[in-house]
Amino acid sequence: MTLSPHLPGATVHRVPIYGVDLVVETLGQGPAVLLLHGFPHTRAIWRDVAPRLAAAGFRAIAPDLHGLGDSTPAVRGYQASAIATDLLRMLDVLGDSAAHVVGTDLGVTPAFALAASSPERVTSLTLSEGLIGLLPGAEAFLRQGPPWWFGLHQAPGGLAEDVLENSAERYIRFFLSAGSRRGVPEDLTRVIVEAYRAKTSLGNAFDHYRAMPATAEWIGSWAQDQRLTTPTLAIGGGVIGAATARQLEPITGCLDQHLLEDCGHITPIDQPGAFADLLIEHARAV
């Protein structure tokens, strides 16, 4: 099947790795910038960020995470460390020995796992609007408990996808609307809705959530006696805000942080120019 790019001017690759086909778009020439999306997103959310990176002399690399968009499901589980291992192999296939790694929302933990487990491959790390397991620092955000959908998505036995099978479009549009202060453009919304319309696609997404306890345990164990050595940037939006930075402060000695103004949760959509500018500044400073 021929795949069309979602990023203007990009090249689409289908990369087979350990039984998984990861679909990834690349744009530009120069140091690699790996862009990891969240839920309910696909690689398409980087469509206004990637061209800015390319124009600044970087090579944007935007994959669909395992089981989402056009990528096939994980075969070794959805724990962040396993996802990170596959992403490293993807970089190998694409010919990149190292990359500036960026993660937003659900993409935060695999981005963190890349820097934690393979710091020699991560030139810089940027995390936006996502929590890093159960590390201290997010108490204010979690004062009333995790967001309600975490429990639904993590319910065993495929409950969430069974319940939502006939309401997928309404459910995805709810999250896109709630996550953006400016509104997700309708053409992008349609791309994302189609990516999650099937029950199997919802199940793959919820498998990422069902792996969160194992990921949190892995992160907690790692953080007991290790620290990030990678220059790290935290970009807060209008939902999680500074909580990501507060989680990072005790475990990294090189941290910069910014809160975007007039921005919702989907930072690359609400403030693509400011987001890209921060990435470029951070990457060039390394």
Side-chain angles (χ1 to χ4, degrees), residues 155-176:
L159 174 64
E161 51 265 46
D162 285 345
V163 170
L164 295 167
E165 180 178 7
N166 296 318
S167 302
E169 178 168 352
R170 181 180 179 188
Y171 196 65
I172 298 306
R173 285 181 176 272
F174 165 80
F175 279 100
L176 294 178

Side-chain angles (χ1 to χ4, degrees), residues 91-284:
L91 290 176
D92 290 337
V93 173
L94 294 174
D96 295 288
S97 59
H100 301 276
V101 177
V102 182
T104 186
D105 186 69
L106 202 66
V108 160
T109 49
F112 176 88
L114 277 166
S117 62
S118 302
E120 74 283 357
R121 302 290 302 273
V122 180
T123 312
S124 74
L125 176 67
T126 300
L127 305 179
S128 180
E129 284 291 294
L131 295 183
I132 308 165
L134 299 176
L135 293 181
E139 292 80 8
F141 176 77
L142 296 171
R143 184 174 296 115
Q144 297 181 350
W148 60 265
W149 57 88
F150 277 52
L152 173 61
H153 295 176
Q154 292 175 350
L159 174 64
E161 51 265 46
D162 285 345
V163 170
L164 295 167
E165 180 178 7
N166 296 318
S167 302
E169 178 168 352
R170 181 180 179 188
Y171 196 65
I172 298 306
R173 285 181 176 272
F174 165 80
F175 279 100
L176 294 178
S177 176
S180 173
R181 188 165 294 178
R182 296 187 172 190
V184 179
E186 179 59 25
D187 64 325
L188 177 57
T189 296
R190 288 196 297 269
V191 167
I192 294 173
V193 165
E194 286 306 312
Y196 287 94
R197 191 178 294 279
K199 179 181 177 180
T200 53
S201 300
L202 290 173
N204 294 335
F206 301 150
D207 279 339
H208 283 272
Y209 282 85
R210 289 186 274 256
M212 283 181 175
T215 290
E217 183 178 356
W218 181 88
I219 291 173
S221 177
W222 177 91
Q224 286 181 2
D225 56 5
Q226 299 185 76
R227 298 294 180 268
L228 287 177
T229 58
T230 304
T232 302
L233 168 65
I235 302 178
V239 176
I240 293 179
T244 309
R246 286 194 292 267
Q247 287 186 302
L248 287 166
E249 284 172 349
I251 61 168
T252 179
C254 186
L255 175 66
D256 193 8
Q257 53 185 296
H258 291 270
L259 286 176
L260 294 175
E261 297 181 359
D262 188 26
C263 187
H265 177 59
I266 315 175
T267 46
I269 294 298
D270 273 7
Q271 291 287 359
F275 192 94
D277 287 346
L278 288 171
L279 296 185
I280 293 165
E281 180 183 1
H282 183 55
R284 286 177 173 169

